[in-house]
């Protein structure tokens, strides 16, 4: 196929044998027979797939030239996906080549160049039109990069494939006014049966973001169908169920998602990945808040999660998602058990970005902020296409005092994924604590809404906090403090109030909350990470913090492993951290 592409790129000019060797065989020494055999194969295939739209001309003792032959509309293969931009019947050469490649990839059987044998592969093919070719080329490149870093090696091909390509990925895009809509579909390469599809829409100027969104969707769907180890082969019905289930794993857990995953797991009883994802969702739906009695539904979800986790581990104990499921089955403040589950997972699946993201969150909860940054960075390297993981990295940087670096990463990430909810939330949180307070205040006062932040909260405590940041007068600080305390007293969540008090050096007020049993219970459940952020340094430097750490179970955790959090090395600490935690 490289030979055909090289001739096509020459646009009718003569391509010498030396040029073909350099571009198609990477300069390796090959004889004239190898070139002639390849040219003969192209001609044979063109004849078998007539009309191919081109012919090859031999220039004696020099090389070869590709000459266009006009085709008729009825000869252009139809795609089972909405086509745009290029009408059937255009005689431009790139369409003739695209049609020829499509006929080969759908029909299969004979291949232009010998390719290494793979266990699984995906071929990307564009609908007619240069804009579609650009899109699928970008998606194929992105998918290949993701495959190389994810530990899930999938051979991806663009307009050419190995004999082992199980799936064909087709795609097309259409512009409508100021919007750009695109769709991709996966087909079985042997039967052309539709297996999975997805679509997305972005403003016309954000085509790169659109392609990344679709690439990520494809990769997530493929997660459950790529063979691992001794996985049994999937039939089409099972693969279709698996693709559609794993294409939804980024959704919030709900009973409907459980049913989809259960059906997929029943169709593929030998898939550890499907069972692990199912267990994760069931475990999250079965989580019980501290002090509450579990409902019958929660008990059923947890029992099912344990059952599916055991089956997944039995099938493939080297699948990292098995240990993600184990993590979700531990209580929210059971840090030793959480670390143990994640460490077991990373011992057998070091390329699993999900494990690193979760480990980052646990490290932040117990004050190992530098290690959290490193784990988040590692997760970002393993899955560079995930805005959620990038948001975790940005937050880890900001919460460890690297505000400038976090801002640089945030600007780059927002440019790549401007509509990502995770990044939008990270952007809001960064602006609130460390960024441009005036701009954020203007947005709030103009009625802009933000993810996971109610209008009441924005116009009350958030607005008061920003005004106090901009102009820290005693009056403004007092207003911000009182508004944050009102939230604590109304809802029992101390996180915002404690951070506000820490930011404005109201240390005694902060410890009054931190000594309140309901506040301790709330922080144990989901909030210990706030204690180790930059704005809380004055609280950590106070000797009274040791008692708070004991009440939260942090001191016991540190003593158990003999490892101490980063703040214990703070040169301004007024007490011996290790001695105080051991009392």
């Amino acid at each position: 196929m490289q030979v055909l592409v090289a001739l096509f790129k020459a646009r009718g000019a003569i391509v010498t044998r030396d040029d073909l060797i350099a571009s198609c065989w990477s300069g390796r020494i090959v004889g004239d027979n190898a070139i002639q055999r390849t040219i003969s194969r192209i001609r044979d295939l063109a004849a078998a797939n007539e009309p191919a739209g081109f012919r090859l001309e031999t220039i004696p003792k020099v090389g070869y030239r590709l000459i266009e032959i006009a085709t008729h509309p009825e000869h252009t293969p139809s795609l089972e996906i909405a086509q745009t931009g290029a009408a059937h019947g255009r005689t431009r050469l790139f369409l003739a080549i695209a049609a020829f490649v499509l006929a080969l990839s759908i029909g299969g059987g004979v291949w232009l160049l010998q390719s290494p044998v793979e266990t699984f592969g995906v071929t990307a093919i564009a609908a007619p039109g240069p804009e579609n070719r650009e899109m699928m080329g970008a998606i194929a490149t992105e998918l290949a990069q993701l495959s190389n870093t994810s530990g899930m090696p999938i051979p991806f091909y663009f307009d050419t494939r190995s004999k082992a390509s199980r799936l064909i990925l087709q795609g097309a895009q259409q512009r409508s006014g100021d919007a750009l809509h695109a769709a991709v579909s996966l087909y079985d390469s042997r039967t052309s049966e539709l297996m999975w599809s997805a679509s997305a829409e972005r403003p016309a100027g954000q085509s790169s973001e659109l392609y990344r969104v679709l690439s990520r969707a494809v990769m997530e769907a493929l997660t459950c169908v790529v063979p691992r180890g001794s996985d049994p082969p999937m039939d089409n019905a099972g693969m279709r169920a698996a693709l559609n289930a794993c294409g939804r794993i980024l959704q919030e857990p709900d009973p409907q998602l459980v049913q989809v995953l259960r059906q997929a797991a029943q169709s593929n009883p030998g898939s550890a990945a499907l069972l692990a994802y199912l267990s994760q969702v069931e475990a999250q739906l079965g989580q019980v808040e501290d002090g509450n009695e579990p409902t019958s539904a929660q008990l059923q979800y947890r029992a099912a999660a344990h059952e599916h986790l055991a089956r997944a581990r039995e099938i493939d104990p080297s699948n990292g998602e098995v240990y993600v499921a184990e993590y979700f089955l531990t209580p929210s403040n059971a840090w030793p058990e959480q670390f143990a589950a994640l460490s077991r997972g990373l011992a057998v699946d070091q390329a699993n970005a999900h494990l690193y993201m979760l480990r980052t969150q646990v490290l932040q909860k117990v004050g190992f902020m530098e290690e959290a940054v490193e784990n988040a960075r590692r997760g970002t390297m393993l899955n560079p296409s995930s805005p959620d993981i990038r948001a975790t990295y940005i937050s880890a940087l900001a919460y460890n005092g690297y505000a400038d670096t976090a801002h640089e990463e945030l600007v780059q990430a927002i440019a790549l994924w401007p509509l990502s909810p995770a990044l939008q939330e990270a952007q809001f949180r960064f602006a609130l604590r460390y960024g441009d307070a005036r701009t954020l205040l203007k947005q709030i006062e103009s009625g802009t809404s933000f993810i996971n932040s109610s209008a009441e909260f924005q116009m009350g405590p958030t607005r008061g906090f920003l005004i106090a940041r901009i102009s820290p007068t005693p009056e403004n600080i007092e207003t911000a403090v009182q508004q944050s305390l009102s939230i604590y007293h109304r809802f029992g969540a101390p996180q915002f109030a404690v951070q506000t008090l820490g930011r404005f050096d109201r240390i005694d007020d902060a410890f009054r909350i931190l000594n309140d049993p309901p506040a301790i219970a709330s922080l144990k459940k989901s909030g210990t990470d706030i204690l180790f952020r930059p704005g809380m340094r004055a609280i950590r430097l106070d000797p009274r913090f040791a008692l708070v750490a004991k009440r939260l179970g942090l001191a016991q955790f540190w003593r158990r492993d003999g490892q101490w959090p980063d703040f214990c090395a703070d040169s301004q600490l007024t007490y011996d951290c290790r001695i105080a935690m051991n009392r």
Side-chain angles (χ1 to χ4, degrees):
M1 190 61 69
Q2 293 97 319
V3 171
L4 182 57
V5 171
L7 292 168
F8 165 64
K9 287 181 177 179
R11 298 181 180 276
I14 297 171
V15 181
T16 68
R17 289 179 172 84
D18 289 342
D19 288 340
L20 288 175
I21 291 171
S23 61
C24 304
W25 281 273
S26 302
R28 297 193 303 263
I29 298 175
V30 296
D32 284 347
N33 286 342
I35 300 175
Q36 291 170 1
R37 284 196 303 270
T38 301
I39 294 295
S40 295
R41 288 175 185 171
I42 294 175
R43 285 173 171 155
D44 291 344
L45 289 166
N49 290 274
E50 188 177 358
F54 67 90
R55 66 179 177 86
L56 298 186
E57 180 183 9
T58 300
I59 311 299
K61 299 182 180 181
V62 180
Y64 303 90
R65 179 168 58 190
L66 187 146
I67 299 175
E68 177 183 358
I69 300 174
T71 59
H72 297 286
E74 62 270 20
H75 291 148
T76 304
S78 62
L79 297 178
E80 296 181 65
I81 188 169
Q83 300 188 36
T84 62
H88 294 297
R90 291 183 184 175
T91 58
R92 289 177 299 179
L93 185 56
F94 76 86
L95 275 183
I97 297 295
F100 179 71
V101 170
L102 181 58
L104 287 178
S105 56
I106 298 291
V110 184
W111 302 98
L112 304 183
L113 294 176
Q114 194 68 25
S115 300
V117 175
E118 307 284 359
T119 58
F120 192 90
V122 179
T123 297
I125 299 175
E131 70 282 0
N132 295 322
R133 182 176 177 83
E134 176 189 357
M135 179 184 91
M136 293 309 295
I139 288 176
T141 301
E142 179 83 4
L143 288 170
Q145 293 173 346
L146 290 175
S147 175
N148 289 334
T149 59
S150 68
M152 187 175 64
I154 307 171
F156 286 99
Y157 309 95
F158 182 46
D159 277 1
T160 182
R161 63 176 178 173
S162 79
K163 296 179 181 178
S165 283
R166 172 68 189 275
L167 296 170
I168 293 173
L169 176 65
Q170 294 182 1
Q173 61 180 325
Q174 180 178 16
R175 180 164 178 169
S176 177
D178 294 331
L180 187 63
H181 178 85
V184 290
S185 300
L186 285 167
Y187 295 84
D188 182 87
S189 63
R190 302 160 301 180
T191 65
S192 299
E193 182 180 355
L194 177 63
M195 306 295 288
W196 172 88
S197 63
S199 62
E201 186 176 284
R202 289 292 185 272
Q206 296 178 7
S207 59
S208 295
E209 155 71 357
L210 180 62
Y211 303 159
R212 291 188 188 94
V213 168
L214 290 172
S215 299
R216 186 183 181 206
V218 172
M219 201 66 179
E220 293 293 347
L222 291 172
T223 300
C224 293
V225 302
V226 177
R228 289 174 57 102
S230 58
D231 282 359
M234 290 184 177
D235 60 21
N236 276 10
M239 182 172 286
R240 190 184 306 106
L243 286 167
N244 284 283
C246 281
R248 299 179 56 180
I249 58 177
L250 294 179
Q251 297 179 6
E252 287 295 319
D254 61 32
Q256 184 179 7
L257 181 55
V258 169
Q259 291 305 314
V260 171
L261 284 165
R262 285 178 178 174
Q263 291 171 4
Q266 289 171 2
S267 299
N268 300 280
S271 173
L274 281 169
L275 287 166
Y277 286 128
L278 173 57
S279 179
Q280 291 172 25
V281 175
E282 290 169 332
Q284 292 177 77
L285 292 175
Q287 287 176 341
V288 183
E289 294 185 0
D290 293 341
N292 292 348
E293 288 295 323
T295 65
S296 60
Q298 288 172 326
L299 290 173
Q300 291 173 5
Y301 278 128
R302 289 189 66 82
H306 280 289
E307 177 188 345
H308 294 135
L309 171 60
R311 286 169 53 192
R313 185 186 287 114
E314 182 180 357
I315 293 170
D316 185 6
S318 67
N319 190 317
E321 296 301 323
V322 169
Y323 303 91
V324 172
E326 188 177 328
Y327 164 88
F328 282 122
L329 281 167
T330 62
S332 59
N333 63 335
W335 307 306
E337 291 83 355
Q338 290 177 344
F339 274 122
L342 298 174
S343 296
R344 284 192 293 271
L346 289 170
V348 297
D349 191 358
Q350 297 180 3
N352 189 301
H354 200 178
L355 290 168
Y356 281 103
M357 184 176 72
L358 293 173
R359 196 165 190 273
T360 296
Q361 295 170 0
V362 183
L363 286 164
Q364 290 174 318
K365 291 178 182 178
V366 295
F368 294 100
M369 307 302 280
E370 288 289 346
E371 193 176 350
V373 170
E374 178 56 29
N375 275 254
R377 184 190 66 82
R378 177 65 175 162
T380 299
M381 292 176 61
L382 289 170
N383 191 352
S385 77
S386 170
D388 293 13
I389 293 177
R390 189 70 61 88
T392 298
Y393 178 46
I394 291 165
S395 296
L397 287 167
Y399 294 152
N400 197 29
Y402 300 119
D404 290 343
T405 306
H407 182 257
E408 292 173 4
E409 290 284 341
L410 183 60
V411 169
Q412 295 175 12
I414 290 293
L416 292 173
W417 302 286
L419 300 181
S420 162
L423 285 170
Q424 289 177 349
E425 183 174 2
Q427 186 179 36
F428 169 74
R429 292 180 181 276
F430 181 87
L432 176 64
R433 302 289 175 190
Y434 315 107
D436 186 346
R438 285 185 171 83
T439 298
L440 182 58
L441 180 61
K442 289 179 181 178
Q443 291 175 326
I444 288 174
E445 291 180 338
S446 68
T448 302
S449 60
F450 296 92
I451 294 174
N452 292 331
S453 180
S454 67
E456 179 186 7
F457 187 78
Q458 287 177 195
M459 289 303 296
T462 302
R463 181 176 177 274
F465 181 84
L466 290 169
I467 291 172
R469 272 191 61 200
I470 295 167
S471 178
T473 65
E475 294 78 14
N476 287 342
I477 291 174
E478 182 62 25
T479 298
V481 166
Q482 292 304 319
Q483 288 176 330
S484 69
L485 288 174
S486 70
I487 293 294
Y488 170 57
H489 293 311
R490 284 177 60 192
F491 302 107
Q495 287 84 347
F496 192 87
V498 171
Q499 290 183 88
T500 301
L501 294 167
R503 173 64 183 255
F504 297 116
D505 292 325
R506 299 284 289 266
I507 308 304
D508 289 342
D509 291 331
F511 277 107
R512 270 191 283 274
I513 293 180
L514 291 172
N515 287 323
D516 189 5
I520 291 291
S522 178
L523 289 172
K524 272 185 177 182
K525 181 170 59 180
S526 61
T528 55
D529 56 310
I530 68 161
L531 300 173
F532 305 103
R533 296 176 183 176
M536 301 291 286
R537 183 172 182 244
I539 292 174
R540 294 192 300 273
L541 293 178
D542 192 294
R544 288 174 288 182
F545 183 71
L547 181 59
V548 174
K550 291 177 184 177
R551 289 173 173 166
L552 290 169
L554 289 165
Q556 296 86 327
F557 173 80
W558 296 326
R559 289 201 307 264
R560 169 185 166 172
D561 290 343
Q563 297 183 33
W564 301 95
D566 297 352
F567 83 89
C568 286
D570 192 323
S571 61
Q572 300 300 312
L573 205 63
T574 59
Y575 59 97
D576 188 306
C577 182
R578 294 166 178 79
I579 293 176
M581 299 299 169
N582 276 298
R583 286 175 182 164

